[in-house]
Amino acid sequence: VGSITIKDVAAKADVSIKTVSRVLNHEPNVREETRVRVLAAVDALGYTPNFAARALAGSRAYLIALYGDNPSPSYIGDVQSGAMSTCRNAGYHLLVEQIEDGDATRRTVEASLSAVRVDGVILTPPVTDRREVLDALDERGVPYVRIAPAENLDRGPYLYIDEEQAAFDMTSHLLSLGHRRIGFVKGHPDHSAARLRHSGYGKAMRKAGIEVDASWVEAGDFSFRSGALAAERLLALPDRPTAIFASNDDMALGVMSVANRMQLSVPRDLSVAGFDDSPVTQVVWPQLTTVRQPISKMAAEAAQMLIYGAESGPLGRLLEFELIVRGSTAPPAGA
Amino acid sequence: VGSITIKDVAAKADVSIKTVSRVLNHEPNVREETRVRVLAAVDALGYTPNFAARALAGSRAYLIALYGDNPSPSYIGDVQSGAMSTCRNAGYHLLVEQIEDGDATRRTVEASLSAVRVDGVILTPPVTDRREVLDALDERGVPYVRIAPAENLDRGPYLYIDEEQAAFDMTSHLLSLGHRRIGFVKGHPDHSAARLRHSGYGKAMRKAGIEVDASWVEAGDFSFRSGALAAERLLALPDRPTAIFASNDDMALGVMSVANRMQLSVPRDLSVAGFDDSPVTQVVWPQLTTVRQPISKMAAEAAQMLIYGAESGPLGRLLEFELIVRGSTAPPAGA
DNA sequence: ATGAAAGCGCTAACAC
DNA sequence: GTGTTAGCGCTTTCAT
């Protein structure tokens, strides 16, 4: 319908459309007085440049794509709101694409890429580690930023937190409360994050001069059930741990559930800590002590890098995590 | 970069670009033989029409917008994957916009609308009920479909489930197991869904010839904590319920948590049912019996309606819910 | 510092 | 049935 176009603005400001374009794109060679006049016209008319026209004519598409998979993870919302806020401020828009794993992955990406020109792509786990996707992107020369990748760290810029340090800090938190026998539930062996978290736990224990008994460390796979199974073994130990640190929140809830069943009160008889600060930390009592990743911020920065260009530097950009201490951790009963 | 355009296809198929356009848009008046030749050329070249150009020139933008707010709710993923699947099949793309509540709401919508022409908008709760948004959309004449709206049901097409019937069915499930004293935890009074679920519970009880004792129904606000508080009162009753139906999953988890603390085993001593089938149903043991809304399907249908046009009919389109019976409900101990 | 003209890749009217 | 010609609303050259 009769939308207002650049022509209307030009007419109102009594300049050519090119000058309007210059002002809007912050190009040089515009007299301040003219600039003000144009801006006033834009404001008066409530003009917003048509995004399709810009994309067609210019070199930028004003569009950032967000690639994700099966959107069950709770962080998808955080990712989106982070990316969105940057985009909005920059006049960009966010296109979401679901990249399913399977034979068609590569074709999906290529179809998307050739149909709509985007200025960059944000990759979220687990797509962040999908080789075919990186390949397709590289071939087309489409810039991308990866969020929390686990592999191929040489393939383009990415954002991450120091998982090992976070696990170290959480373990130190438990140690500082007075715990000595601290159990650990490992994550899924395929995830590099699982390895790093385990290693952080070990380092903190060693630093405190505590020798980790092999029976204190149980395997897990990031699921509630695996956490529960691990807890059953840990809490059956003759000299059972006074605290259990699970590599993610779901498993920590599994631990709490078993503790309840065994009539151990959390945190009086057992402290429990998780990792991720997912929404499930709110559906237990006491609420779960955990580590929060700055997911939203990561996404915002990723968009930033794509829109304004990444200042050169190391490929990986480290962001701060946050220890969230809630009711599930406390000094051990004897303390 | 030198992307392949409609001209390349036209040259290869030895027809005019208009004919290519006709084939691609399924317009009539193309000889079958020509059609095949064009399609072959498209395939050989791996051609995909440029989306910005189509949007600029044509009447369709090949773009559907998804309006949501603070994307914490677990269903955002479901919504997106549903909408996405329809879009992908139709050659459309999905643009997500975050519409925050507040003074700027209306301006946000208008800015988005004037910057990018979309063929339609899918509204998810709570934006689905935001009046300013509906107004802005109506003014621009942009079609929209609302998902599970609670108010202003005369304002355009929407998709919903029969919340009352679902609650009726869940209550009937508990009754059929042999429960008679069934407690109920209400949802947040501002949500119309809360009212409907409560009413469904009442109807089922009455139909079974059971008079609902006022002490069996407790207030809640959809939060874990409110569910726990309600359970404390319900389970302290002299003749306590053998089953508790909470209006959503978070509250049901609150109920389970209190039951555990009181050393009541679920489902042996107490059956617990929820509503929503959110991911938290998986982080308890036993897993929660609940009601699943076809969120993903709703979104897919919404996109369908926007892309292919809604066949006229009633504004509201009813979809089927599903009773998910898991381990948290069983016959009462005495049965 | 500003403007005129030429497209970007496609669809919409019309011609044929 | 098929092709021709204008644009869609902008950004790019390239003049001035």
Side-chain angles (χ1 to χ4, degrees):
Chain A
V1 212
S3 217
I4 33 206
T5 77
I6 197 172
K7 283 185 187 166
D8 302 318
V9 179
K12 179 149 188 125
D14 199 30
V15 293
S16 76
I17 60 167
K18 176 61 215 177
T19 299
V20 177
S21 172
R22 280 203 183 89
V23 172
L24 261 34
N25 293 300
H26 309 102
E27 285 173 35
N29 295 335
V30 180
R31 227 184 342 173
E32 180 57 20
E33 186 215 323
T34 322
R35 218 180 62 83
V36 169
R37 196 145 37 90
V38 169
L39 254 21
V42 166
D43 219 59
L45 265 37
Y47 167 73
T48 327
N50 177 298
F51 134 98
R54 291 181 105 170
L56 185 56
S59 51
R60 289 189 298 176
Y62 295 91
L63 209 50
I64 298 288
L66 187 64
Y67 283 8
D69 193 3
N70 216 331
S72 45
S74 67
Y75 58 67
I76 190 171
D78 293 331
V79 170
Q80 283 186 17
S81 68
M84 195 93 65
S85 75
T86 298
C87 284
R88 179 152 42 219
N89 290 336
Y92 275 61
H93 293 267
L94 196 66
L95 194 76
V96 308
E97 292 279 1
Q98 190 171 357
I99 311 294
E100 274 149 13
D101 200 7
D103 299 343
T105 302
R106 170 120 196 182
R107 249 183 310 126
T108 305
V109 174
E110 287 182 335
S112 163
L113 251 30
S114 62
V116 6
R117 196 160 53 82
V118 298
D119 297 315
V121 177
I122 300 174
L123 299 169
T124 62
V127 184
T128 214
D129 287 316
R130 215 91 90 205
R131 224 197 188 92
E132 321 91 91
V133 177
L134 303 181
D135 289 344
L137 253 14
D138 277 339
E139 250 169 52
R140 291 248 170 197
V142 176
Y144 54 86
V145 174
R146 306 201 282 155
I147 292 188
E151 303 159 21
N152 301 311
L153 297 184
D154 53 330
R155 299 201 55 173
Y158 59 94
L159 297 155
Y160 69 110
I161 64 158
D162 190 338
E163 307 257 359
E164 189 180 55
Q165 183 67 46
F168 182 96
D169 287 4
M170 179 59 85
T171 309
S172 301
H173 161 68
L174 293 170
L175 288 164
S176 76
L177 289 172
H179 294 278
R180 285 297 166 265
R181 293 192 308 283
I182 301 176
F184 185 82
V185 187
K186 294 192 283 186
H188 196 290
D190 285 358
H191 288 50
S192 71
R195 205 178 48 248
L196 293 167
R197 292 172 194 179
H198 180 204
S199 150
Y201 158 80
K203 286 195 177 166
M205 294 295 272
R206 230 167 299 131
K207 194 188 167 198
I210 300 175
E211 196 189 339
V212 175
D213 193 287
S215 66
W216 296 356
V217 177
E218 281 287 345
D221 61 7
F222 284 141
S223 72
F224 174 85
R225 192 177 152 68
S226 74
L229 291 174
E232 274 170 6
R233 289 187 295 264
L234 287 170
L235 297 176
L237 253 38
D239 212 14
R240 67 156 191 261
T242 59
I244 296 180
F245 176 16
S247 306
N248 80 340
D249 293 335
D250 282 12
M251 295 198 299
L253 258 59
V255 172
M256 285 181 79
S257 151
V258 168
N260 272 327
R261 213 156 29 183
M262 295 177 67
Q263 294 168 34
L264 296 173
S265 155
V266 174
R268 202 192 55 213
D269 306 322
L270 181 74
S271 282
V272 179
F275 203 111
D276 282 347
D277 196 32
S278 65
V280 301
T281 57
Q282 311 292 327
V283 295
V284 276
W285 189 259
Q287 293 187 355
L288 194 63
T289 291
T290 189
V291 174
R292 178 185 295 162
Q293 299 200 41
I295 300 282
S296 176
K297 194 169 180 190
M298 283 175 158
E301 293 243 3
Q304 202 101 223
M305 288 162 79
L306 291 170
I307 294 173
Y308 301 108
E311 57 216 75
S312 55
L315 284 178
R317 221 166 115 31
L318 184 71
L319 297 193
E320 296 298 314
F321 56 85
E322 191 184 352
L323 223 65
I324 310 283
V325 177
R326 299 206 182 93
S328 70
T329 51
Chain B
V1 213
S3 216
I4 33 202
T5 77
I6 197 171
K7 283 185 187 166
D8 302 318
V9 178
K12 178 143 188 133
D14 199 29
V15 293
S16 76
I17 59 166
K18 178 58 214 179
T19 299
V20 177
S21 173
R22 281 204 183 88
V23 172
L24 262 34
N25 294 299
H26 309 102
E27 285 172 33
N29 295 336
V30 181
R31 226 187 340 177
E32 179 59 17
E33 187 215 324
T34 322
R35 218 180 62 82
V36 170
R37 196 145 37 91
V38 169
L39 254 24
V42 166
D43 219 60
L45 265 37
Y47 167 73
T48 327
N50 177 299
F51 137 95
R54 291 181 108 171
L56 186 54
S59 51
R60 291 191 295 178
Y62 295 92
L63 210 49
I64 298 290
L66 188 63
Y67 282 9
D69 193 2
N70 217 331
S72 46
S74 67
Y75 58 67
I76 190 166
D78 293 330
V79 170
Q80 284 186 15
S81 69
M84 193 93 65
S85 76
T86 298
C87 284
R88 178 148 48 217
N89 290 336
Y92 275 61
H93 294 267
L94 197 66
L95 193 77
V96 308
E97 292 280 3
Q98 191 170 357
I99 311 294
E100 273 148 13
D101 201 7
D103 299 342
T105 302
R106 170 121 196 180
R107 249 182 312 126
T108 305
V109 174
E110 286 181 337
S112 162
L113 251 30
S114 63
V116 9
R117 196 160 53 83
V118 297
D119 297 315
V121 177
I122 300 174
L123 299 170
T124 62
V127 184
T128 215
D129 287 316
R130 215 91 90 205
R131 224 197 189 92
E132 322 92 271
V133 177
L134 302 182
D135 289 344
L137 253 14
D138 278 338
E139 249 169 54
R140 290 248 171 196
V142 176
Y144 54 86
V145 173
R146 307 201 282 154
I147 292 186
E151 303 159 20
N152 301 311
L153 297 183
D154 53 330
R155 298 202 54 173
Y158 60 95
L159 296 156
Y160 70 109
I161 65 158
D162 190 337
E163 307 258 0
E164 187 180 57
Q165 182 67 47
F168 182 96
D169 286 5
M170 178 60 85
T171 309
S172 301
H173 161 68
L174 293 170
L175 287 165
S176 76
L177 287 172
H179 294 278
R180 286 295 167 267
R181 294 192 307 283
I182 302 175
F184 185 83
V185 187
K186 293 192 283 186
H188 196 291
D190 286 357
H191 287 51
S192 71
R195 206 178 48 246
L196 293 168
R197 292 173 193 179
H198 179 204
S199 148
Y201 158 80
K203 286 196 177 165
M205 294 295 271
R206 230 167 299 131
K207 194 188 164 198
I210 300 174
E211 198 189 338
V212 175
D213 193 287
S215 65
W216 296 356
V217 177
E218 281 287 345
D221 61 8
F222 285 140
S223 72
F224 173 86
R225 192 178 150 69
S226 74
L229 292 174
E232 274 169 7
R233 288 187 296 263
L234 287 170
L235 297 176
L237 284 155
D239 212 13
R240 67 159 190 258
T242 60
I244 295 179
F245 176 16
S247 307
N248 81 340
D249 293 335
D250 282 11
M251 294 197 299
L253 257 59
V255 172
M256 284 180 78
S257 150
V258 168
N260 272 327
R261 213 158 27 187
M262 297 178 67
Q263 295 169 34
L264 295 173
S265 155
V266 174
R268 204 192 54 210
D269 305 322
L270 180 73
S271 282
V272 179
F275 203 113
D276 282 346
D277 196 31
S278 66
V280 300
T281 57
Q282 311 292 326
V283 296
V284 277
W285 189 258
Q287 294 187 355
L288 193 63
T289 291
T290 189
V291 174
R292 178 186 295 161
Q293 298 201 43
I295 301 282
S296 175
K297 194 170 180 189
M298 283 174 157
E301 293 242 4
Q304 201 101 224
M305 289 162 77
L306 291 170
I307 293 173
Y308 301 109
E311 56 216 76
S312 54
L315 283 178
R317 221 167 116 29
L318 183 72
L319 296 193
E320 295 299 314
F321 57 85
E322 191 184 353
L323 222 67
I324 310 284
V325 177
R326 298 206 182 93
S328 70
T329 51

